[in-house]
Amino acid sequence: MSQSLNILDVSLRDGSHSVRHSFTVEQVRAAAKGLNAAGVRYFEVTHGDGLGGSSLQYGLSKVDELKLIEAAVEEATFSEVSVLLIPGIGTKQDLQAAASIGAKMVRVATHVTEADVAAQHIGLGRELGLKTVGFLMMAHMTPVEKIVEQAKLFESYGAEVVYVTDSAGALLPHEVTARVAALKDTLQCDIGFHAHNNLSMALANTIAAIEAGANYIDGSLRALGAGAGNTQTEVMVAVLEKLGYQTGIDLYKLMDVANEVIAPLMQQPQEISGSSLVLGYAGVYSSFLLHAQKAAQQFGVDERDILMELGQRKTVGGQEDLIYEVAQQLVKA
């Protein structure tokens, strides 16, 4: 197949959730150096919740993210460093600071029905000369028609890529196909896809997205990411090469950075546990997992019950405080 793909690795951003935002400059530098040597075009570096995410609500970073971004940029002689920005968490000033130290891409992320809050951030990204992306999170929560409507808003603001983002790892391949194909048929810009593996569907969903027309694809080394992790970058590259897609990535070098740099810093294996499975089953934001585990321990309740209730309430990113409220209510019940 002749379709060329843009692989974006999120180990140093989505993986921040999994390691409780404890990345050091040395770890980021080593991973960035390896990703660059392997020929990965883009990789993302910020707190798990994006620029400005270091807080009591979302989790405090061990190291200021600007220092991590700066270290990554210094190693990225071929690769380009992306940053995530969620309006209401990150600010325009945060984005200007990231751009000033060499970030080349910004992905402005909103809930799937709230693209309108991102207009000024998308506009600023374009003004700063960044590759500017709209990131529609929790894409399982709304019908295809609504996703198309919101994606068109992102494009109208200047987004050069619009992502279908399966933040809960809740989608199945036919649902990914429907969403990506609808955007491909409607938009003039490029289409991206970001998966989580809570139902063990990440790679299958990624292939479905590519076949439906997505050409920006996310993964993380050793699947390091929130919940059960993301599509595993090195496995994805191997499968795509077997399918005949052009990735331009050196698989051996990618495996080396996964095994020699990322694996040693992982605090637990990325596997589908009972709780991460419930994330996908109930449709809950993947980064809620560690918060739910902490609340369950604090209040002596089953973390799966917390996650199921959060799914019933259709909670979205930014509602982390509800995790503890739900745990307290389960105790009373």
Side-chain angles (χ1 to χ4, degrees), residues 49-248:
D49 290 289
L51 294 171
S54 180
S55 63
L56 290 174
Q57 181 172 6
Y58 301 113
L60 293 169
S61 296
K62 182 174 183 178
V63 176
D64 185 289
E65 63 187 354
L66 291 179
K67 293 181 179 178
L68 301 181
I69 294 166
E70 190 169 31
V73 167
E74 288 173 359
E75 299 295 338
T77 57
F78 166 79
S79 303
E80 296 187 351
V81 174
S82 171
V83 295
L84 185 78
L85 188 151
I86 301 175
I89 299 177
T91 66
K92 293 169 72 174
Q93 290 73 28
D94 290 327
L95 182 55
Q96 289 167 331
S100 72
I101 57 174
K104 299 297 185 185
M105 172 189 278
V106 60
R107 305 203 297 177
V108 182
T110 74
H111 184 60
V112 69
T113 60
E114 298 176 358
D116 60 331
V117 304
Q120 59 182 323
H121 304 87
I122 294 282
L124 178 60
R126 293 302 299 269
E127 288 175 24
L128 293 170
L130 304 176
K131 186 81 174 179
T132 303
V133 180
F135 209 64
L136 290 170
M137 299 189 292
M138 300 292 278
H140 73 284
M141 290 187 72
T142 196
V144 172
E145 296 75 19
K146 187 68 172 179
I147 290 178
V148 169
E149 170 195 291
Q150 297 296 298
K152 288 170 71 175
L153 287 178
F154 266 143
E155 187 177 48
S156 74
Y157 303 149
E160 299 166 85
V161 188
V162 175
Y163 262 74
V164 173
T165 306
D166 187 13
S167 316
L171 291 173
L172 299 176
H174 70 280
E175 296 170 315
V176 174
T177 297
R179 284 159 172 75
V180 172
L183 297 195
K184 183 70 175 176
D185 289 344
T186 307
L187 305 183
Q188 300 302 309
C189 67
D190 289 325
I191 311 300
F193 180 69
H194 174 99
H196 281 266
N197 201 41
N198 300 326
L199 294 177
S200 197
M201 289 285 110
L203 184 55
N205 284 343
T206 295
I207 293 170
I210 293 167
E211 290 178 344
N215 63 334
Y216 279 77
I217 300 296
D218 286 10
S220 59
L221 298 169
R222 293 294 287 259
L224 184 67
N230 307 101
T231 311
Q232 191 165 339
T233 307
E234 63 273 28
V235 176
M236 174 174 64
V237 168
V239 170
L240 292 176
E241 294 285 352
K242 285 178 68 68
L243 288 172
Y245 290 97
Q246 299 173 12
T247 67

